[in-house]
């Protein structure tokens, strides 16, 4: 089998309709703090310039948040650590659109530790070119 | 990179095969009540007119439930708060079809707090035009 | 908006790569017994004839399991309640292929109550025609 | 309905953007150890030669990890049991690309038992040919 590793995989526009950062956590560590992550894979051989926009129920979108991902690298973006242009408010429903200048793959994960035991959820995003 | 933020993303017909609102909850707040949400992103610059139909195992479908989502807005629809044309029965298996007159993105999430600790699940819906 | 409710949605061939029915449960009720469900939506106006095949690691596939879903109905199939041609063994890894003669939508869910608190996971299946 | 069971289903290139093997577990058994699995279905009548590459945040990719899946068989690959060319480090964020010479279907699952109660998440992967 001829390998195509190193070839890019994915699409340039992604959306996640669900978003919510719980305001509370059990556990002290960064690892067990309630969080949402947008995981982005740039499997190709070119740098990925990423822009993220956050949509809300009752106000204009926040962003764009900008990131660069090196070739053949993965970025696990913690939504509760975004600072500029503004932090994402806690306990607030949102949606996301992610755009890249090269193909990437996007997966959404939430770790919820509001109660004593953590809960997990994940999904691949919706993609189009 | 030329940004296409503001351009719509998504499709006009979506389906979710799984649906179930647990009849019981632990915790008093709206936040921790067992619920299912259909999260809808309207990223484009036109209003989205949404119609939702609920399919059951043993009876005719309920709905349509109707919603309007403003441009560049997100709606997190709580299935257990729907009233008209009828509430969705608790502890009953169902499926959903969501139609929009403009492209939207749909994600399904359940928070289950029947036991002391909550459980979470999510998935992007199935889409076609 | 002209509604297309009543039109079928989905595809005719689906696959789920993950499958596993835990051998143990906490809780007595059918509701809280560890289980996997394949949820199938037949939104169209024709009966769906469904065939399910189960793939294992070390033996030939089981099935086909056969089901009929009436028009505009949803079926939440509990994998641990299948009997013919043979029950699915517990605590055994498997994958599924689902075929239909009309378009359907398929979502996979597991409720795991092996420990005191339940865990949940779900995903839309992989589809092609 | 003419059955196409035995026909392959799926695609040849898959990606999962999220990956993380928790460093700790509650419970002694292999069954309840925190783990990530990549589940692969080879429903067709030809052997599948699989190559897996793991992408990180700060270093070059690991792999390829190589596997063969017999026709009409399922493989539930435990990421924490990979040995060659190198084990996947625990508590480290990663992404995966999976390539096959025949169509396969891929689903990603995590069982997290860091706390007393386990959490579960799953998603179908992103696919292209």
């Amino acid at each position: 089998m001829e390998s195509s590793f190193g070839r890019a995989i994915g699409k340039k526009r992604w959306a996640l309709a669900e978003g919510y950062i719980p305001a509370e956590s059990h556990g002290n560590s960064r690892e067990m703090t309630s969080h949402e992550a947008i995981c982005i894979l740039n499997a190709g051989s070119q740098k990925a310039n990423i822009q993220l926009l956050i949509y809300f129920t009752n106000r204009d979108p926040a962003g764009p948040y900008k990131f660069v991902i090196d070739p053949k690298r993965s970025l696990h973006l913690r939504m509760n650590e975004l600072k500029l242009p503004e932090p994402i408010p806690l306990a607030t429903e949102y949606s996301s659109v992610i755009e890249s200048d090269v193909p990437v793959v996007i997966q959404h994960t939430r770790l919820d530790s509001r109660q004593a035991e953590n809960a997990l959820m994940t999904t691949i995003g919706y993609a189009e070119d």
Side-chain angles (χ1 to χ4, degrees), chain A:
Chain A
M1 170 171 61
E2 206 166 339
S3 175
S4 56
F5 284 130
R7 262 204 306 155
I9 182 169
K11 292 192 185 282
K12 295 182 180 177
R13 300 190 78 213
W14 291 79
L16 297 163
E18 159 73 284
Y20 184 87
I21 308 172
E24 288 157 49
S25 302
H26 270 78
N28 304 316
S29 64
R30 177 176 185 272
E31 185 184 341
M32 297 310 292
T33 300
S34 284
H35 64 266
E36 282 215 326
I38 293 180
C39 304
I40 311 173
L41 169 62
N42 176 19
S45 51
Q46 285 182 271
K47 227 189 292 195
N49 293 288
I50 308 284
Q51 298 201 39
L52 166 69
L53 215 64
I54 304 292
Y55 294 82
F56 299 98
T57 307
N58 290 314
R59 49 156 281 194
D60 283 341
Y65 301 86
K66 298 187 181 187
F67 310 93
V68 175
I69 309 180
D70 282 333
K72 304 181 191 303
R73 290 295 182 271
S74 168
L75 177 65
H76 288 224
L77 193 63
R78 290 260 190 131
M79 304 307 283
N80 56 325
E81 296 179 352
L82 297 180
K83 294 281 190 297
L84 293 172
E86 62 181 298
I88 298 183
L90 301 184
T92 302
E93 292 161 349
Y94 64 88
S95 302
S96 314
V97 171
I98 304 102
E99 294 197 346
S100 173
D101 57 351
V102 297
V104 294
V105 177
I106 295 214
Q107 189 171 340
H108 168 242
T109 300
R110 185 188 300 158
L111 170 78
D112 184 333
S113 61
R114 280 176 291 186
Q115 296 182 311
E117 309 302 330
N118 58 314
L120 280 175
M121 65 183 206
T122 197
T123 188
I124 282 286
Y126 170 83
E128 63 186 41
D129 270 329

